[in-house]
Amino acid sequence: MTELAALSHDDFYAQFTERNRGLISEHHQNLLRRTRFVVAGCGSTGGACVMPLVRSGAERLVLLDPGDYELNNLNRQEATVAEVGNNKARATADRVRAVNPFIEVEVFEDGVDPDSIPARLSAGDVVIDAVDVTTDAGVRAKYALHQAACALRLKVL
């Protein structure tokens, strides 16, 4: 571990993504590293997107989720018994920092708030929409997310 602690951010990243060479071009690797990924919903769908992004070399994340892990989430979400009761976005941030300590992660435990989401998106973001729409509030949040993304001409997956 002391060897890892001595690595600069760039040296860490070079070694971390070394096995991507041949699969991901240098240009696309740099795009992955610089792009800000906004993950709206860190449960089943959004949560399944986060770690592959991080392990591929993404280093800028915004995680939004108002929910806490429940025992019934463990059969399909990237969570452990120890995380039950913890906010999904916060727990996800902790897991990605354990993989890449240099990662930039912003966490919003209030999820996609229709009033604040426009200020949380920036030009160039890639938005992953995994908002839970099992409630009216979820539907309003999803609509607000897409409106704000559209205003900035962002890609939404």
Side-chain angles (χ1 to χ4, degrees), residues 68-89:
D68 294 340
Y69 283 116
E70 300 174 9
L71 186 58
N72 66 35
N73 297 139
L74 301 187
N75 72 326
R76 66 193 182 286
Q77 296 182 21
E78 187 70 30
T80 66
V81 170
E83 293 170 323
V84 170
N86 294 340
N87 175 269
K88 292 177 183 180

Side-chain angles (χ1 to χ4, degrees), residues 65-129:
D65 200 305
D68 294 340
Y69 283 116
E70 300 174 9
L71 186 58
N72 66 35
N73 297 139
L74 301 187
N75 72 326
R76 66 193 182 286
Q77 296 182 21
E78 187 70 30
T80 66
V81 170
E83 293 170 323
V84 170
N86 294 340
N87 175 269
K88 292 177 183 180
R90 177 75 47 208
T92 301
D94 292 343
R95 281 195 302 277
V96 301
R97 286 185 187 110
V99 172
N100 180 347
F102 294 101
I103 198 161
E104 296 174 29
V105 185
E106 296 175 68
V107 174
F108 295 98
E109 294 185 25
D110 60 345
V112 177
D113 179 275
D115 294 327
S116 62
I117 193 61
R120 292 181 179 166
L121 299 180
S122 299
D125 287 350
V126 172
V127 179
I128 297 172
D129 173 8

